[in-house]
Amino acid sequence: MPQMEDSVPPDGPQPYADSVLDLTERIPPGLVMTYGDVAEYLGRGGPRQVGRVMALYGSAVPWWRVVRADGRPLPGHEDRALANYRVEGTPLRTVGGEPRVDLKRARWDGK
């Protein structure tokens, strides 16, 4: 049976969470990955699973480097994320008056 996006990866929650957090720590300053990018890079899970890991355990890693597919920062944490983006020199753009990460310039491919 195919794995559903919201299901736990076959290796269990903790190894998956560790993989997500390890990858997040490797994203260079000034660059980002989307939730979907992280899941694709790891070859398992999906954006929602990555988001869940980040919500539960992400405070110990540079969480602002994992963004939504449209480049918006984490809801409720926009000010802290934007402050980190400015310090790190993350490319930003404005859409409808909202600052977003410029994914064309800031997206990291994991290499």
Side-chain angles (χ1 to χ4, degrees):
M1 183 162 134
Q3 180 179 340
M4 295 183 62
E5 186 172 313
D6 289 330
S7 66
V8 174
D11 58 353
Q14 197 56 49
Y16 184 73
D18 290 343
S19 296
V20 169
L21 298 173
D22 289 344
L23 179 58
T24 301
E25 287 182 324
R26 292 185 23 228
I27 300 171
L31 298 178
V32 300
M33 293 180 95
T34 66
Y35 294 99
D37 292 340
V38 171
E40 184 177 332
Y41 183 89
L42 295 175
R44 58 189 197 256
R48 289 181 186 202
Q49 289 171 307
V50 172
R52 182 75 176 146
V53 169
M54 295 302 291
L56 292 173
Y57 311 110
S59 65
V61 298
W63 53 267
W64 58 90
R65 296 182 191 154
V66 180
V67 299
R68 294 172 161 192
D70 64 2
R72 285 187 295 163
L74 181 65
H77 301 278
E78 295 91 349
D79 291 341
R80 287 178 41 211
L82 288 168
N84 284 305
Y85 297 145
R86 290 184 179 111
V87 166
E88 294 184 355
T90 306
L92 299 173
R93 63 189 182 102
T94 302
V95 176
E98 290 184 3
R100 297 183 187 194
V101 173
D102 184 343
L103 291 175
K104 288 182 183 177
R105 296 176 27 215
R107 192 175 232 152
W108 186 58
D109 63 5
K111 296 179 185 171

